[in-house]
Amino acid sequence: MASLARTLRPLARAAASSPRTPLTRSVLSRAALRQQAPRCLSSTPKRRYDTDNVTTEGEPYDLDTMTPTPIFHFTETEQAMADTVSKFAAETILPKVREMDESEHMDPAIVEQCFEQGLMGIEIPEKYGGAGMNFTSAIVGIEELARIDPSVSVMVDVHNTLVNTAILKYGTEESRKKWLPQLATNTVGSFCLSEPASGSDAFALKTKAEKTSNGYKISGSKMWITNSMEANFFIVFANLDPSKGYKGITAFIVEKDTKGFSIAKKEKKLGIRASSTCVINFDDVEVPASNLLGKEGEGYKYAIGLLNEGRIGIAAQMTGLALGAWENAARYVWNDRKQFGSLVGEFQGMQFQLAQAYTDITAARALVYNAARKKEAGLDFVRDAAMAKLFASQVAGRVSGNAIEWMGGMGFVREGLAEKYWRDSKIGAIYEGTSNIQLQTIARLLQREYSG
């Protein structure tokens, strides 16, 4: 199929020089982003690694001068991203969805094509080989992928919103030059935080690190780690000084072929089965000093910040899933399924359910894109991200479950995708913070605002 470069090139002033980096040096150039007018709240150029006072172009940044627009207003680049990823997912991923789910294995060709399409380096600046797009563009891509396959979506999501972001925000310039070109073009990344006794209580982790003459040594294990099988690059959180509690937690970069690193078990899961989720062991894994990410003892701060942003990505995965489930069922009941001589979708009871479900999806999407825009604008978005993830996961579960009933027997069998959407939806209320953790976050921030 046509690459994103060929689709998006008309939006850019300069043509891309490489056909294998379709999102780079074209639409995603700053020149291309500058030409999009009028600039508004929904197209803010500020990115997570900008300073507080200037845009990426070095211009003063002032929200008060921007004209408000609808939440679902996309810039030309963002809309092109949506259209092109939708086409890529339908033409390239859809034919392999059922096979990947049944085999519980991500097709390596799909991974390679995600790189070729530029979907693995959406926010990585062009100078490091990435696309240089804004955060909302990443959310758009994640949502569109999830309409077809949430497993592929979460692979792209974790790689972009957690791994790439970590290097952009906390890596040195040397580490950015070393790792970002690889992450943008051929190396899948993984984020290793959770452990058997450290899930919702993320900072109860037991994996330890100690200093050596050449750097550090890591021992312990991680559990529920996404992208484990596909990844060659791992961001690992370990406690360098347990006497300090969570303030001893430090982040490190570990490569898969490092001695002592091993994947102990691949989990067999209810949903998102093509997405690998594994137990990883670290047996005195030696890490050079240059692979320290950020500062010693500040890993807990990095994890909190990254997960807050990552929750918007998971919320987008859930709204994409809900849209996919709704569309799949709606087409069936309005075109194929007949009872009592009429299409099932013509019955008022069915129409009301379809209308309510679509309204819920739209409300969830509004929360997602509002959180994304606030994050881009440099505003406090933590409560918004929690609300988006909470509600989007609830809507995804409800809509995908109802969609099976709308389709009757065809929704229950594994010939189609209806039952898969429902299975895939269950993880939304669990990973990157359970629903109870989101409720706790929302309530804590509300209490802070309304107390006293």
Side-chain angles (χ1 to χ4, degrees), residues 70 227 242 256 259 321 333 368:
N227 290 354
K256 179 176 274 187
K259 183 180 179 181
L321 184 159
V333 301
V368 171

Side-chain angles (χ1 to χ4, degrees), residues 153-277:
S153 177
V154 76
M155 177 191 71
V156 172
D157 176 19
V158 168
H159 181 91
N160 278 278
T161 67
L162 296 183
V163 178
N164 292 349
T165 301
I167 304 302
L168 283 168
K169 291 186 72 171
Y170 308 117
T172 62
E173 182 58 24
E174 290 72 21
S175 65
R176 290 177 190 146
K177 288 179 179 178
K178 178 179 180 180
W179 299 114
L180 290 178
Q182 297 179 47
L183 292 169
T185 58
N186 57 32
T187 302
V188 177
S190 183
F191 189 82
C192 304
L193 179 62
S194 297
E195 298 181 3
S198 175
S200 293
D201 185 6
F203 298 145
L205 58 83
K206 302 298 182 182
T207 299
K208 296 181 180 179
E210 60 179 90
K211 282 193 171 184
T212 66
S213 58
N214 298 318
Y216 305 89
K217 185 166 59 177
I218 300 175
S219 299
S221 64
K222 296 292 181 179
M223 196 171 189
W224 319 118
I225 305 304
T226 301
N227 290 354
S228 302
M229 297 300 294
E230 296 78 23
N232 284 295
F233 177 97
F234 296 79
I235 293 177
V236 181
F237 292 84
N239 202 319
L240 189 59
D241 188 350
S243 68
K244 294 182 179 179
Y246 68 88
K247 292 187 177 180
I249 296 174
T250 303
F252 303 91
I253 295 169
V254 179
E255 295 180 82
K256 179 176 274 187
D257 60 1
T258 304
K259 183 180 179 181
F261 176 100
S262 63
I263 294 178
K265 175 188 177 183
K266 181 182 178 183
E267 303 289 355
K268 296 182 73 67
K269 310 189 298 293
L270 170 70
I272 57 167
R273 300 198 306 194
S275 168
S276 61
T277 305

Side-chain angles (χ1 to χ4, degrees), residues 79-159:
Q79 187 58 57
M81 165 71 93
D83 294 342
T84 310
V85 174
S86 176
K87 181 177 174 63
F88 165 67
E91 294 183 358
T92 304
I93 299 174
L94 180 58
K96 298 184 177 182
V97 170
R98 178 54 69 182
E99 177 187 347
M100 292 194 298
D101 184 69
E102 296 287 349
S103 66
E104 302 188 28
H105 176 71
M106 185 74 67
D107 189 327
I110 294 294
V111 179
E112 181 180 357
Q113 287 166 315
C114 284
F115 277 110
E116 291 180 351
Q117 289 295 318
L119 295 174
M120 304 299 272
I122 298 174
E123 289 186 89
I124 294 178
E126 294 175 70
K127 66 179 181 179
Y128 301 120
M133 296 184 83
N134 60 339
F135 180 71
T136 299
S137 293
I139 296 306
V140 168
I142 291 164
E143 185 178 57
E144 288 297 331
L145 289 170
R147 289 171 80 166
I148 298 298
D149 190 358
S151 290
V152 177
S153 177
V154 76
M155 177 191 71
V156 172
D157 176 19
V158 168
H159 181 91

